[in-house]
Structure formats: C-alpha cells, structure tokens
C-alpha cells in the first residue's frame, strides 16, 4: 500500500510526463479500439449481408438464329410473317458442372408437375375460362371453312363453354387450303373461340371457333430427348362408324380426357432445391403471408411440405398445417408453369398416369407483391402454383416427362457464394462453351462489398497504426519510468525493498496510468467507430429496400438492423491488450533493471 | 563484542572493457558500540568496502559475517532493511520525495504509521541541524550540506545496528561537522551501534575509536596517535 502510494506520489510530481503518457496511451487505445470496432463491424456486416444477400444466375440457351415464319390469315386473306427463334442442339444442364464451380444450390432446371386435384377448387366459378372444346360437328351446308362456316354440334366430348346454341361458326383460319366439309359427314375438332373473324369490337356477330390443339406428343425421355411418336398431328378428323375403336379415335378421346383433367382440375407443382433460385422469389416479388418458407432441412430431408398461393388457399379455405393430396401426373421442364400446358399426351397417344401419389403439408402461404415487375410473362407464377422441395418427390419422373427443352431463364438457375461472380465467370470462360446466356443477380452485393472492403482496409490501417504507436509509446515511457530510474530502484533496494516490492512500486504506477488511458481511449474509440457506423446505415437502408418483400426477411430485417452499432467488447479487448502489452514491456524492463546488484549504481560513480 | 567480521574479501568492478580490482583480501572486524573511521586516498576502495558491508553486492572472494552469519546465506533484503543503514557519498536521496518523505521512507517501509513516521522524521531532521522549512523541499532544491544531513537523518531513521557513512561531513562547516560527529559517536557509545565512517578529514578520524587505512584495495589498522 505504502509502495503504491509512493509510486503514485512520484507520478504526481512529474505531471507533464505522466499526463503525456496518459494521453498518448489513451490515443493509442482509441486508435486500436476504433480500428478494432470498425473491423468487427465490417465483419459483422459482411456476415449480416451474407445472410441477407444471395447471388444467383439464370441460364438461358441462346437461339442460333431468328427465322421469319409465315402464317395464312383468312381474315386478311394473306400471309402474315412473324419471328420465330430457332435453337440448335439442346445444351444439357451438366455443362455447368465443371471443375471449380462452387454452387450453393443448383444448377437446376425446374420442372413443374401437373397435379390432378379434382377435389380442390382451381378456378373461380365465374372466372373467364378458356373457351375450348373437343366436339363432333357437321356443317349445316357443305362448305369450305375458309371463313366462318356454320356447323351443328353433334356430340360434345369436352367443353366448359357455356353455349346455348346448337350451332356455331368454324373457320380453319390459318390453313391456306382448307378442304371441303360435307353436311352429311361428322367431324371431330379441337377448337377454341379465337374470335378472329368474329372479333369486331362491340359488334356481337357470329362467334368464330378456330382450331386449337392437335393430336400430338412432346413426351421426352429421362435425358430430355424427344421420344419419337406416330400420332397423327390432326386437329380435325372425320368420325366414321367405329371411329373410337381405331387408334386415332382413342387418341381423340384421350385428348378430351386430358383437357378435362388439365384445365379445370390440375394445379402446377413446382419442385425446387431452393426457392431463391426462382426469380420471382429472389427478386422479392413474393412474400410470405402465413407460415414459413422452406428451411434447409426441408430440402435435405426431402420433407413433404409445400408453399401454396394465397388465392389457392383462400379458394379452398386452407391454412398452414393442412395436408394437400397432390397426385403428380407429368413433368414439364420446358415451359413456364403459368402457360397451362393442356392437352399433353404420351408418345403412345394416351393420358399420363399418376407417378407420384403423395401428401404434402402446407408450411407457408405466399402471395405475389401487387404490381411486381418481372423479366417477362414466363417468369410470372401461376395463380395456383404450389412449391415443394425437389427432394420430396419419391418416384422418378423419367417416364412422365411431358415436355423438355433447352434451358430458359425461368426454368434454370443456380446460386453461388456472394462475391464470386467474377471467379465463376472466369472459370466458365475456360470451359469454352458458347450458346448460353448467363445473367447474374446479386441485389447490389458487389457494390456493398466494395464499400465494406474499403472500410475494412481503413480499419486495418487504424489497427496497425494503433498497435505500432502503442508499442512505441509504451517502450518509450517504460524506459522513462523504469530504466531511467534505475538509481531510484537501487536506492529502494539499498533501503531493503525486495525485488518483488520494487517491481510492484514500478509497475503499479505505470499500470494505473495505462489502465486509465485504455479506458478513456477505448471509450473514445467506441464512439469513434459508432460515428463511422453512421456511414454504414446508409448502406443498410439500401439493403432493406432490396429485401423488403423477400420471402424470408419481412420480419428479420427489423430484428437485425441494430447489428450495425459499434460494440464495446472490441474496445474492452483492445484496451486489455494494451494493458497486457504494457505489463509485458514494463516487466521485461524491470526484470532487466533488477538483475544488476545495486552496488555498481550506488558506489559513488554517477552513470 | 565482534559484530562484523570481514574475511579476506576481494572485489572487482567488471566493465565491458576492463576489470578494476577494488578490494584485495581485506580482513577486519568491527565491534558493537564503537565508532570506526576508514581513511585512505581517493580510489583506494573505501566506498567499495562500505557498499559490501551495506549488502549491496557479495564479495567475489572471502566473506562478511554479521553476528556470525554469512551475508551470502542471509536474506539481504532484510539485512538492508533492518540491520544496516547507509549514508552514501552521493547522498542518494529520492529526487521526487521531499526531505520529510525521504526520511520517513525507511520507517514507513518497516510498517510504522505514516503520522508517527513523519513525527519521528521531523525530530531527526532537527537533530541533524536542519530547520523545519527543509522538510517540504525536494533534494534538488537543497545545498550539498543539506542533502548530506537529510541522508544522515534517513540513515538514522532506519535504526540499523550498523551505521555506515561515506564522507558524512564532506560538505559541512566545522560547527555542523562537529554536530554530526557527535550524533554518530552518541549512536555508537549510547545506543550500541557499530558506526563506520569513511572520511578524509583527520579531525573526524581522530574522534573514532579505531582507524583503518585503505591503500590500493588493501586495509590496514592504523595505530592510535600515529
Ligand atoms: N561503478 C564502478 N565501476 C567501475 N569501477 C569502479 C566503480 N566504482 C568504483 N570503481 C573503481 O574502484 C576503485 C575503488 O573505488 P572506490 O569508490 O571504492 O574508491 P574510494 O576509496 O571510495 O574513493 P573516493 O575517496 O574518491 O571516494 C576505483 O579505482 C574506482 O575507479
Ligand atoms: Mg568513495
């Protein structure tokens, strides 16, 4: 105690030196704690942003050329030309699997599955429906359907068309050379009210029906290649006695059946390995209305959970936790789920049979942000679209692929770690594969990352400067307080102070000043880094803007905002480090100065 | 009664460049309740002997026995604190402590209360002939003679049975010199201290009970009256 008092007394009697020491130590501690705080903040922010941001890319095969195609139009009585994209050989998804490519999820080409759900309400009862039908007709009079030709309904195989007339007009609108139809014959047709000739604005006129689907199959094998088929390709056939005994007759029946099952009684079920890969989800155009999104375990364990649209859930009075029965009939890898895809027949001209008869629990109900903009209609979701983890499908869909085609931006995507776009691109270029258009999305992560990296560098400079100055200051002042005072130490020794007591005497004063300095400096540094954090909040607002509608972050955002304030722990750590460093340097010097016997110093010769 | 016995002590200063043989086979004894004077030319090794007696280092060869016990085996911290007190040629006061604090330091170190120590220090300072106003002064504001007397007061304060003084009167006028000599003599004769005084001053040496002469690191006893 007495030793401590004397030590402090001495400090008090050299106020300039003591105060200078104190201030310099405080400054070094402040530098360290500002730098450390800033650095920690940058790191925390990176982690935070990492959880908030994803980098995905969509993949689309480029058309090899655009070709002009012609179509006859009986209304204008001339050919109209339109552009059609011609794709070369289909590039398989496997080209994206190359050495060094580090995917978080994907790459995947998503399929949507037609689930046959006759017990659920798929469309609003009074919604405008597709006025399609499969019908047997006879012309009222012989005639060529190169313009509206009045026909009489003989037998309706499939229709939801609310007709109340036994006749309607048929026009083989796009066929430049339609054949004569005879009143004494019966024809089967697949039609819809294209309203081409008949479309005269408000003038009701006769409603014109035009050909719609033909007997056709786009069935593909498991590897995506088309399965050759021998279907007729007809959208019109003559019904003769025993027609339905024939192959073609049965195919017409299958088409009617397929349409019946498809449009009114099916929902598209999209299977994915990560909802973030779906542009509508990624861009924050959807939000979770109830329940939760998919969690990693859903994917990894193949849990039978699903996300349903708000409309579908409302229509069927479903809530989170309800079990959906979803018998999956066929997969469509080529088209967007919102196109409907009706009338798909197998290569044998039959209706697809259920290959996966499963039950999925609703884990969340999502909705689409009103007015959400997407890259195009194909990117939009079907109003009944249901999402399931890809792994939750137990049976192979390889025998039930109704359509496959080249990769499209809305079917194919992958996720890579944030900040690795350039790396991925350079590796991709080495692959030398042409013909794919890869578009990256990172929600501005790269810009943010740059800023944070710059700040991290600043933090590092502060840290280094702080560390260097701390060491210099401590060495200099320890020298002043210890080595320069070896005579005092020798006198103390001559008066009988033990080495331990001398150490305490020297150390206590230095440590006290260092501690005070560290506390002040670290506190100052804490506020310093908080001020610096002000710059980040700008960045933070920016990222909230991006994530406002994101599926998983509607609530998380509020919670995580305050991650961005400085934290006092860093100051405490850097402060303690300085103190420990001071103790280390001081002890080394004390040890050195006590090693000598006091005689030499006191024997009459001043140094 | 024999208090300190110096047995064939040899000591050398070793610097980077040379070795200076300061003491060569010095032997002597010092008894209790006596005042000794050590005289000799400058550089003959007087201060070195004193430092060894003060326990600031151990002799290279030979031994110093205090009341029969070797300094080598003793806890020299305790020896310095409790047994021996020294007035250095260069005073060696704590520059950042006042005279009063310097003098009370050894007493506080031994555990005496601060107030009591101060009281005693004041008495000692008065005893060595210094005014009260010196108490609050720092060494660098004092004259050599004042510093010297504060150093003597500090040595007296520690109440070691062995009192060593290196030129304690070097900077003093005759009156003060006599006062100090009296104090030292009293310490020896009345309180039983062993007082060893190094001096150039024959007047001071004359007052001693016994005189040793140092010559080139060797010690010899000087016969009275010679
Ligand atoms: N710290 C030291 N380092 C090296 N040599 C020293 C040291 N102190 C003393 N010496 C040398 O040791 C010898 C004895 O010195 P010492 O101080 O004992 O002499 P002294 O008799 O006390 O002289 P003085 O009367 O001048 O005080 C001298 O030659 C001196 O130069
Ligand atoms: Mg000397």
């Amino acid at each position: 105690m007495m030793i401590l008092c004397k030590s402090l007394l001495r400090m008090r009697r050299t106020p300039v030196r003591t105060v200078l020491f104190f201030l310099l130590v405080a400054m070094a501690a402040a530098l360290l704690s500002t730098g450390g705080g800033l650095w920690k903040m940058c790191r925390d922010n990176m982690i935070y942003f990492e959880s908030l941001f994803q980098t995905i890319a969509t993949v689309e095969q480029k058309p090899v050329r655009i070709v002009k195609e012609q179509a006859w139009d009986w209304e204008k009585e001339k050919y109209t030309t339109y552009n059609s994209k011609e794709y070369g050989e289909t590039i398989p998804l496997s080209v994206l699997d190359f050495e060094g490519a580090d995917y978080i999820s994907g790459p995947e080409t998503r399929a949507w599955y037609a689930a046959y759900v006759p017990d659920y309400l798929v469309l609003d009862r009074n919604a405008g429906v597709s006025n399609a039908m499969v019908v047997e007709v006879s012309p009222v009079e012989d005639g060529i359907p190169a313009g509206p030709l009045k026909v009489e309904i003989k037998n309706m195989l499939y229709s939801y068309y609310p007709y109340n007339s036994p006749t309607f007009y048929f026009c083989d609108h796009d066929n430049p050379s339609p054949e004569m139809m005879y009143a004494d014959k019966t024809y089967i047709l697949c039609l819809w009210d294209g309203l081409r000739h008949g479309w005269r604005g408000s003038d009701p006129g006769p409603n014109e029906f035009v050909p719609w689907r033909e007997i056709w199959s786009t069935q593909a094998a498991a590897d995506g290649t088309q399965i050759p088929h021998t279907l007729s390709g007809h959208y019109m056939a003559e019904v003769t006695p025993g027609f339905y005994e024939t192959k073609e007759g049965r195919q017409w029946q299958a088409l009617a059946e397929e349409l019946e099952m498809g449009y009114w009684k099916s929902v598209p079920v999209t299977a994915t390995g990560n909802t973030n890969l779906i542009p509508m989800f990624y861009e924050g155009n959807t939000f979770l209305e109830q329940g939760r999104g998919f969690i990693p375990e859903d994917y990894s364990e193949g849990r039978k959970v699903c996300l349903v649209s708000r409309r579908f859930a409302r229509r069927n009075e479903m809530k989170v936790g309800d079990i959906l029965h979803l018998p999956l009939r066929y997969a469509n890898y080529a088209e967007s789920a919102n196109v409907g895809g009706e009338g798909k027949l197998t290569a044998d001209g039959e209706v697809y049979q259920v290959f996966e008869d499963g039950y999925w629990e609703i884990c969340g109900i999502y909705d689409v942000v009103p007015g959400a903009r997407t890259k195009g209609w194909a990117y939009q979701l079907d109003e009944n679209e249901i999402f399931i983890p890809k792994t939750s499908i137990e049976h192979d869909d390889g025998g039930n692929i109704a359509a496959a085609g080249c990769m499209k931006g809305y079917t194919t995507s992958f996720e890579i770690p944030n900040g690795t776009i350039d790396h991925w691109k350079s590796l991709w270029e080495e692959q030398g594969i042409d013909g794919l258009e890869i578009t990256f999305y990172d929600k501005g992560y790269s810009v943010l990352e740059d800023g944070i990296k710059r700040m991290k560098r600043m933090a590092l400079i502060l840290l280094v400067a702080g560390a260097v100055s701390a060491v210099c200051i401590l060495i200099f002042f320890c020298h002043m307080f210890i080595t320069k005072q070896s005579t005092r130490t020798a006198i103390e020794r001559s008066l009988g102070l033990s080495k331990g007591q001398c150490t305490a005497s020297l150390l206590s004063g230095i440590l006290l000043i260092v501690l005070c300095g560290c506390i002040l400096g670290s506190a100052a540094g804490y506020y310093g880094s908080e001020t610096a954090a002000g710059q980040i909040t700008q960045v933070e607002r920016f990222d909230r803007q991006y994530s406002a509608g994101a599926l998983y972050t509607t609530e998380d955002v509020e919670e995580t905002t305050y991650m961005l304030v400085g934290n006092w722990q860093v100051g405490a750590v850097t402060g303690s480090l300085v103190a420990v460093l001071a103790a280390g340097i001081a002890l080394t010097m004390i040890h050195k100065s006590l090693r000598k016997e006091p005689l030499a110093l006191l024997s009459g010769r001043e140094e | 009664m024999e208090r300190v016995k110096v047995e064939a002590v040899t000591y050398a200063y070793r610097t980077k460049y040379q070795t200076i043989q300061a003491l060569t086979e010095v032997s002597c004894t010092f008894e209790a309740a006596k005042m000794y004077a050590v005289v000799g030319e400058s550089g003959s090794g007087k201060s070195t002997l004193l430092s060894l007696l003060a326990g600031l280092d151990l002799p290279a060869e030979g031994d110093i026995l205090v009341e029969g016990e070797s300094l080598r085996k003793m806890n020299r911290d305790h020896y310095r604190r409790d047994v021996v007190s020294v007035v250095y040629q260069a005073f060696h006061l704590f520059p950042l402590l006042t005279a009063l604090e310097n003098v009370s330091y050894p007493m506080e170190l031994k555990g005496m209360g601060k107030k009591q120590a101060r009281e005693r220090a004041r008495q000692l300072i008065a005893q060595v002939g210094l005014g009260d106003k010196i108490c609050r002064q720092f060494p660098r504001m004092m004259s050599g003679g004042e510093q010297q007397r504060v150093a003597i007061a500090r040595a007296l304060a520690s109440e070691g049975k062995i009192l060593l003084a290196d030129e304690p009167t070097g900077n003093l006028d005759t009156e003060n010199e006599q006062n100090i000599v009296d104090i030292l003599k009293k310490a020896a004769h009345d309180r039983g201290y062993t007082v060893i005084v190094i001096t150039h001053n024959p007047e001071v040496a004359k007052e001693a009970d016994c005189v040793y002469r140092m010559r080139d690191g060797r010690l010899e006893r000087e016969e009275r009256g010679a």
Side-chain angles (χ1 to χ4, degrees):
Chain A
M1 192 58 214
M2 171 235 168
I3 289 164
L4 180 70
C5 288
K6 285 283 177 294
S7 181
L8 294 184
L9 190 64
R10 286 200 180 91
M11 293 278 183
R12 228 176 51 216
R13 295 212 170 130
T14 50
V16 175
R17 200 193 297 176
T18 306
V19 166
L20 200 66
F21 182 41
F22 171 74
L23 288 180
L24 288 174
V25 165
M27 185 202 76
L31 280 178
L32 277 173
S33 105
T34 309
L38 220 56
W39 192 82
K40 173 101 183 3
M41 212 145 50
C42 289
R43 223 184 54 121
D44 288 351
N45 274 298
M46 279 318 272
I47 293 169
Y48 167 55
F49 290 147
E50 208 62 55
S51 69
L52 204 68
F53 282 60
Q54 296 89 29
T55 301
I56 70 159
T58 58
V59 186
E60 180 148 345
Q61 186 169 340
K62 290 186 236 171
V64 276
R65 62 180 153 277
I66 309 287
V67 288
K68 295 241 183 283
E69 284 193 6
Q70 290 194 318
W72 179 257
D73 187 335
W74 272 115
E75 184 176 21
K76 295 176 182 142
E77 299 208 5
K78 63 171 190 192
Y79 285 99
T80 53
T81 55
Y82 60 92
N83 291 336
S84 163
K85 290 173 181 170
E86 196 178 294
Y87 292 91
E89 209 167 294
T90 301
I91 300 172
L93 185 67
S94 57
V95 298
L96 294 169
D97 248 328
F98 52 86
E99 186 72 31
D102 175 22
Y103 297 108
I104 290 177
S105 44
E108 70 175 19
T109 296
R110 279 175 298 281
W112 60 266
Y113 296 88
Y116 181 53
V117 287
D119 295 337
Y120 300 140
L121 277 178
V122 170
L123 295 173
D124 286 334
R125 273 277 165 246
N126 54 358
V129 294
S130 166
N131 300 326
M133 53 190 174
V134 177
V135 62
E136 286 177 24
V137 295
S138 292
V140 176
E141 288 164 18
D142 291 358
I144 296 171
L149 175 70
K150 197 172 189 182
V151 294
E152 192 185 343
I153 297 169
K154 294 286 183 194
N155 180 24
M156 190 64 88
L157 280 82
Y158 158 75
S159 172
Y160 279 92
Y161 183 59
Y163 68 95
N164 45 24
S165 157
T167 59
F168 63 87
Y169 290 90
F170 167 64
C171 174
D172 200 356
H173 202 97
D174 299 335
N175 185 356
S177 50
E179 285 179 14
M180 173 72 111
M181 292 174 81
Y182 299 98
D184 57 351
K185 287 187 177 173
T186 304
Y187 302 89
I188 187 163
L189 294 157
C190 180
L191 304 170
W192 72 296
D193 58 346
L195 301 175
R196 301 272 278 279
H197 268 98
W199 185 246
R200 295 181 193 97
S202 52
D203 183 356
N207 269 357
E208 181 199 78
F209 280 72
V210 295
W212 187 36
R213 292 277 187 261
E214 58 265 44
I215 302 295
W216 193 250
S217 173
T218 53
Q219 190 177 2
D223 65 358
T225 52
Q226 291 296 320
I227 297 176
H229 66 88
T230 53
L231 306 193
S232 66
H234 296 154
Y235 55 81
M236 184 199 288
E238 193 185 328
V239 181
T240 49
F243 176 70
Y244 293 111
E245 275 19 272
T246 67
K247 227 173 167 186
E248 175 152 24
R250 278 197 299 274
Q251 286 165 8
W252 275 98
Q253 280 176 323
L255 179 64
E257 194 187 336
E258 176 59 43
L259 289 172
E260 169 78 28
M261 289 168 93
Y263 196 77
W264 284 88
K265 293 166 184 171
S266 287
V267 288
V269 177
T270 298
T272 180
N274 183 353
T275 45
N276 275 328
L277 293 177
I278 299 164
M280 279 290 279
F281 281 73
Y282 177 81
E283 283 164 357
N285 286 330
T286 58
F287 64 94
L288 207 56
E289 200 214 32
Q290 271 177 48
R292 61 168 180 85
F294 292 147
I295 54 174
E297 289 74 30
D298 293 337
Y299 300 117
S300 63
E301 293 168 17
R303 290 188 188 157
K304 292 230 158 193
V305 288
C306 64
L307 291 168
V308 300
S309 72
R310 184 184 58 83
R311 283 189 174 205
F312 183 73
R314 288 288 181 284
R315 213 174 276 141
N316 293 285
E317 291 172 347
M318 289 164 178
K319 55 190 187 310
V320 170
D322 286 355
I323 310 287
L324 289 190
H325 181 207
L326 301 173
L328 307 182
R329 294 200 300 124
Y330 62 78
N332 187 330
Y333 283 90
E335 293 156 298
S336 172
N338 66 19
V339 300
E342 304 91 338
K344 298 268 191 255
L345 297 180
T346 67
D348 297 326
E350 287 165 3
V351 168
Y352 283 96
Q353 297 303 312
V354 172
F355 73 95
E356 168 96 4
D357 194 3
Y359 292 83
W360 276 265
E361 183 186 333
I362 298 175
C363 67
I365 296 172
Y366 72 89
D367 201 357
V368 173
V369 175
R373 266 180 302 163
T374 61
K375 273 185 79 180
W377 61 267
Y379 286 83
Q380 283 164 21
L381 303 182
D382 185 78
E383 77 169 50
N384 294 313
E385 196 162 344
I386 292 172
F387 292 90
I388 58 171
K390 189 155 63 182
T391 44
S392 68
I393 297 175
E394 289 162 40
H395 300 90
D396 184 27
D397 63 7
N400 293 53
I401 299 176
C406 41
M407 294 182 257
K408 287 287 182 1
Y410 46 86
T411 62
T412 308
S413 49
F414 58 79
E415 183 183 353
I416 55 173
N418 289 325
T420 63
I421 294 177
D422 290 337
H423 177 67
W424 192 94
K425 273 184 179 164
S426 68
L427 286 174
W428 172 244
E429 264 155 36
E430 282 170 28
Q431 303 303 308
I433 293 167
D434 228 16
L436 291 186
E437 190 179 318
I438 293 159
T439 316
F440 284 93
Y441 303 84
D442 72 355
K443 297 180 182 174
Y445 178 90
S446 310
V447 181
L448 258 182
E449 194 193 22
D450 272 2
I452 287 181
K453 271 190 179 154
R454 223 171 300 129
M455 202 142 85
K456 224 171 171 177
R457 221 170 300 136
M458 194 172 91
L460 217 65
I461 291 170
L462 284 177
L463 268 179
V464 169
V468 169
S469 58
V471 169
C472 293
I473 289 163
L474 288 174
I475 288 181
F476 177 73
F477 280 94
C478 283
H479 180 75
M480 292 292 284
F481 283 119
I482 296 167
T483 314
K484 277 279 185 192
Q485 299 216 16
S486 52
T487 313
R488 162 194 153 192
T489 310
I491 302 169
E492 285 179 336
R493 297 269 287 141
S494 80
L495 288 176
L497 255 72
S498 68
K499 287 189 180 185
Q501 285 170 314
C502 284
T503 308
S505 160
L506 290 165
L507 200 59
S508 53
I510 291 173
L511 275 192
L512 196 82
I513 293 182
V514 168
L515 280 179
C516 293
C518 284
I519 289 168
L520 180 82
S522 299
Y526 167 68
Y527 289 108
S529 53
E530 265 219 320
T531 322
Q535 298 175 353
I536 302 189
T537 38
Q538 204 181 327
V539 164
E540 176 239 343
R541 235 175 281 127
F542 169 66
D543 82 58
R544 280 183 62 175
Q545 224 172 45
Y546 264 103
S547 61
L551 185 59
Y552 301 112
T553 42
T554 32
E555 279 150 36
D556 302 29
V557 167
E558 293 301 328
E559 254 170 59
T560 33
T561 311
Y562 53 79
M563 286 255 316
L564 298 153
V565 301
N567 52 17
W568 57 269
Q569 291 103 318
V570 173
V573 168
T574 54
S576 324
L577 277 179
V578 172
V580 168
L581 186 72
I585 293 175
L587 279 174
T588 319
M589 288 191 175
I590 291 171
H591 180 74
K592 228 175 116 185
S593 105
L594 284 178
R595 215 168 40 199
K596 287 182 248 159
E597 286 292 336
L599 188 145
L601 281 168
L602 296 180
S603 66
R605 303 289 177 282
E606 294 295 325
E607 291 170 276
Chain B
M1 190 197 138
E2 192 178 281
R3 184 168 273 158
V4 183
K5 191 166 195 281
V6 179
E7 287 179 336
V9 162
T10 297
Y11 191 87
Y13 292 98
R14 258 173 251 281
T15 63
K16 242 182 211 165
Y17 314 102
Q18 58 184 150
T19 304
I20 294 162
Q21 188 75 21
L23 297 176
T24 318
E25 294 193 1
V26 170
S27 296
C28 55
T29 54
F30 299 99
E31 285 170 28
K34 275 195 178 168
M35 179 161 117
Y36 295 86
V38 179
V39 297
E41 282 162 32
S42 184
S44 58
K46 305 182 295 292
S47 297
T48 309
L49 177 65
L50 184 107
S51 299
L52 291 180
L53 290 171
L56 298 182
D57 201 355
L58 292 170
E61 280 167 46
D63 204 355
I64 295 171
L65 303 176
V66 177
E67 271 160 0
E69 203 182 334
S70 164
L71 267 190
R72 290 184 193 280
K73 292 179 190 129
M74 230 182 266
N75 178 331
R76 280 189 292 133
D77 290 335
H78 291 169
Y79 171 72
R80 288 195 290 245
R81 193 178 70 196
D82 299 329
V83 182
V84 71
S85 37
V86 192
V87 181
Y88 294 99
Q89 198 167 8
F91 323 131
H92 293 316
L93 297 173
F94 292 117
L96 290 175
L97 299 185
T98 61
L100 192 69
E101 285 159 354
N102 261 291
V103 175
S104 54
Y105 193 99
M107 294 184 279
E108 285 182 53
L109 190 64
K110 284 181 182 178
M112 193 186 280
K114 192 171 169 181
K115 235 174 132 188
Q116 208 185 340
R118 292 280 153 103
E119 198 47 50
R120 175 93 183 101
R122 233 175 265 279
Q123 284 172 15
L124 287 167
I125 287 170
Q127 208 179 331
V128 293
L130 291 170
D132 204 39
K133 76 175 206 318
I134 208 93
C135 287
R136 255 169 288 123
Q137 284 182 15
F138 291 101
R140 89 185 102 84
M141 299 188 288
M142 300 177 206
S143 72
E146 284 167 334
Q147 286 189 45
Q148 189 154 42
R149 280 179 284 167
V150 172
I152 293 165
R154 186 176 68 181
L156 291 171
S158 70
E159 296 191 317
K161 290 234 170 51
I162 303 167
L163 182 60
L164 308 173
D166 200 341
E167 302 279 4
T169 60
N171 297 289
L172 301 183
D173 54 89
T174 0
E175 193 183 321
N176 273 310
E177 181 184 292
Q178 193 52 50
N179 178 28
I180 295 301
V181 170
D182 285 345
I183 290 170
L184 295 176
K185 257 168 85 178
K186 243 188 241 158
H189 298 152
D190 299 355
R191 305 176 66 186
Y193 286 16
T194 301
V195 178
I196 303 168
V197 181
I198 292 172
T199 183
H200 278 110
N201 190 335
E203 297 297 316
V204 176
K206 226 163 54 191
E207 304 270 348
D209 300 308
C210 178
V211 179
Y212 284 108
R213 177 167 292 278
M214 203 73 172
R215 226 179 240 125
D216 278 343
R218 288 169 196 278
L219 193 71
E220 54 200 48
R221 197 173 174 132
E222 190 133 300
E223 292 314 315
R224 206 92 300 240

